[in-house]
Amino acid sequence: MAEYESFSGVITRIDDFWVGNGRQAGCYKLMSVENSSGNRVDFVVAPATYFVDHTMVSVGDTVTGFYDTSMAAPAIYPPQFRAVVMARDVPGQSVKVDYFNDQLLSGDGTLKLNLAPSTGVLIQNGQAFTGTPANRDLIVVYGPTTRSIPAQTTPSQIIVICER
């Protein structure tokens, strides 16, 4: 089972990333992200990396990259992770990537989802998801939350991660 972590900061560099044969040239990127403490993470961005709102990012943008901690990563500095999801920071909008159980409670127990008719539930290609989002890995886009434990929110959008 996937376990997601995130790292937020400003994109300081975007380069092409070489993967094997020349046919992949330009398809993979290496994004260097530095936080306010000066820590840096390099994200390998593949064609399958999901960008929230399908947003184009560039150097100087503040982003959050989500990666699967159960995937192998090279033991190098700065750390290099394969990005599963990238989200450009938008004021008033939060993004969480996690497994949500049958009660729509996140795997880390910090966020409970309350669905509304206005909540868009999609798959990664933008098409409507017709099943239940419970017991799945989800990308959740939301605004305000309650101050309860766990925090509760009615998300504006849920993207179901169908395949990895």
Side-chain angles (χ1 to χ4, degrees):
M1 181 165 86
E3 291 189 30
Y4 301 98
E5 290 290 333
S6 64
F7 183 84
S8 298
V10 175
I11 298 174
T12 59
R13 187 174 174 161
I14 301 174
D15 294 310
D16 285 335
F17 186 72
W18 181 261
V19 227
N21 64 34
R23 294 179 53 201
Q24 297 296 325
C27 292
Y28 289 77
K29 303 292 180 193
L30 188 67
M31 288 188 184
S32 296
V33 177
E34 188 171 314
N35 68 13
S36 59
S37 300
N39 298 317
R40 186 175 121 192
V41 166
D42 288 340
F43 286 108
V44 176
V45 177
T49 301
Y50 183 81
F51 279 77
V52 173
D53 296 328
H54 302 287
T55 303
M56 179 78 66
V57 298
S58 57
V59 171
D61 287 342
T62 302
V63 298
T64 300
F66 297 87
Y67 57 96
D68 182 352
T69 61
S70 67
M71 299 294 293
I76 59 175
Y77 183 82
Q80 186 180 93
F81 302 115
R82 288 185 249 174
V84 175
V85 176
M86 295 294 291
R88 185 170 62 187
D89 288 4
V90 174
Q93 175 180 291
S94 297
V95 177
K96 183 165 186 72
V97 179
D98 206 344
Y99 173 83
F100 286 80
N101 69 15
D102 60 343
Q103 301 297 308
L104 293 176
L105 179 65
S106 63
D108 64 6
T110 63
L111 187 65
K112 167 92 169 69
L113 306 180
N114 299 312
L115 300 186
S118 61
T119 302
V121 183
L122 310 170
I123 56 177
Q124 289 172 285
N125 65 9
Q127 301 304 301
F129 178 75
T130 54
T132 175
N135 296 312
R136 296 179 178 271
D137 289 348
L138 305 175
I139 303 164
V140 179
V141 181
Y142 61 99
T145 63
T146 63
R147 293 180 184 244
S148 60
I149 298 176
Q152 295 188 37
T153 190
T154 302
S156 58
Q157 187 176 61
I158 295 174
I159 299 92
V160 178
I161 301 175
C162 292
E163 293 182 19
R164 290 260 338 255

